[in-house]
Amino acid sequence: MRLARFEYNSVFSLGIVDPAAGTVAGVAAPSSAGDPMIAVIAAQLEGREFDLDGKQYRLADIRLAPPIAQPSKNILCVGKNYIEHAAEFVRSGFDASAKGVAGIVPEAPIIFSKAPCTMIGAHDDIRPPWAITNKVDYEGELGVVIGAGGRAISRDDAYRHVWGYTVINDMTARDLQAAHKQWLLGKSIDTFCPIGPWIVSTDEVDPGDLSIRCWVNGELRQDANTRDLIFDIPAIIEAISASMSLSTGDIIASGTPAGVGIGFDPPKFLHKGDRVRVAIDGIGELENAIV
Ligand code: MG
């Protein structure tokens, strides 16, 4: 199942997407307050089916929105989670946490976060604040959406806490990431988290074998597979939930592979007018303009 949140005629709705047919079947709005996607996921976890509202939309007519607008906490992100990317990041000199190439592979997952105000839809514009950054970069990533919440989740139980998967572009201002040491400001610029185009339920995806690719203006920059994650999804969930409770609708960005802009010599940063496309087989793709 592909579950989207979208805007049509200035009204936000949820819907089940059939990409082959190019159609969206409206899902009845939940009666509870709060984030509607989290509400319908929670209802399904309690054994209730989605109620359709009888409306049909053409995929081409709607604006895809971030599937979840109000997660319980910041988007949780994993840094340096593919070996080749860890190496390119350390080499680039932008990694304020690096202690030289000997320490390329992290001993434990590096967890940071992005504020929810960064999220935009699959085709919305990315708006860098050019007055404070000229080193804007992309990071295509597999996103994980938590279903049943929990604390101290073991890696053996981890997949039981996943509701689905999505595509994330963990946009980053490298100059701010380096200047502020902590990555939060460089990662949390408004519009710096294209996400979607929808959430695909776990029954349709093998998260351990997904092709992930990223293009800038049609040039292939990242081309990897999630089987090469240093810390896999269960390891990430185990590590995060050892510290904090995970809640329904929480979002985890699992890390980016090699081929980001700072991986090139000289670096290939993004500029006004560029278009970034991130695709994960079996899930979908994002394509966002830099303005
Ligand atoms: Mg990232």
Side-chain angles (χ1 to χ4, degrees):
M1 179 191 303
R2 285 157 172 70
L3 204 49
R5 178 170 157 268
F6 60 93
E7 184 181 8
Y8 179 77
N9 280 347
S10 303
V11 176
F12 284 88
S13 306
L14 303 183
I16 296 172
V17 181
D18 181 342
T23 57
V24 183
V27 169
S31 53
S32 57
D35 186 280
M37 183 69 82
I38 293 176
V40 300
I41 291 173
Q44 197 211 27
L45 292 171
E46 291 168 5
R48 281 175 273 157
E49 291 300 316
F50 293 111
D51 290 324
L52 299 181
D53 64 8
K55 295 178 183 162
Q56 285 281 340
Y57 305 84
R58 281 166 21 107
L59 198 48
D61 293 340
I62 63 173
R63 183 186 76 84
L64 291 160
I68 293 168
Q70 298 172 289
S72 79
K73 57 179 68 68
N74 276 12
I75 301 148
L76 299 160
C77 308
V78 187
K80 298 199 286 189
N81 203 19
Y82 290 82
I83 290 173
E84 290 302 314
H85 170 66
E88 72 178 357
F89 188 38
V90 171
R91 276 198 309 269
S92 75
F94 282 92
D95 181 7
S97 74
K99 294 192 183 75
V101 289
I104 283 174
V105 177
E107 292 172 5
I110 296 171
I111 308 296
F112 62 96
S113 75
K114 292 172 87 82
C117 62
T118 57
M119 288 191 288
I120 59 172
H123 305 292
D124 294 343
D125 291 339
I126 298 166
R127 301 176 176 278
W130 299 112
I132 60 167
T133 178
N134 60 7
K135 294 183 168 55
V136 175
D137 209 346
Y138 50 87
E139 296 189 351
E141 308 196 11
L142 171 66
V144 179
V145 177
I146 296 296
R151 175 89 195 276
I153 299 166
S154 71
R155 64 168 292 127
D156 288 346
D157 283 339
Y159 281 128
R160 278 180 234 156
H161 292 265
V162 177
W163 193 86
Y165 299 94
T166 190
V167 185
I168 288 175
N169 181 354
D170 174 20
M171 291 286 302
T172 307
R174 298 295 179 196
D175 33 12
L176 300 187
Q177 182 183 27
H180 295 280
K181 308 304 180 200
Q182 299 279 322
W183 298 358
L184 186 71
L185 291 181
K187 296 280 189 178
S188 289
I189 294 170
D190 286 4
T191 74
F192 269 36
C193 190
I195 182 169
W198 36 69
I199 306 170
V200 182
S201 52
T202 53
D203 54 314
E204 299 198 21
V205 175
D206 172 4
D209 184 15
L210 292 172
S211 164
I212 176 166
R213 283 169 291 170
C214 175
W215 297 258
V216 176
N217 302 330
E219 178 191 336
L220 183 64
R221 297 280 184 88
Q222 297 184 286
D223 186 2
N225 189 290
T226 55
R227 76 171 79 91
D228 294 326
L229 284 168
I230 297 170
F231 300 101
D232 64 7
I233 305 302
I236 295 166
I237 289 174
E238 183 175 70
I240 293 173
S241 71
S243 288
M244 68 180 82
S245 299
L246 288 171
S247 301
T248 303
D250 282 353
I251 301 161
I252 299 171
S254 57
T256 201
V260 300
I262 52 164
F264 295 88
D265 185 16
K268 295 182 177 183
F269 294 116
L270 295 169
H271 301 97
K272 189 178 276 196
D274 287 345
R275 298 187 72 83
V276 186
R277 183 155 74 97
V278 182
I280 299 181
D281 287 354
I283 300 180
E285 65 177 55
L286 315 169
E287 183 168 8
N288 303 87
I290 311 290
V291 303

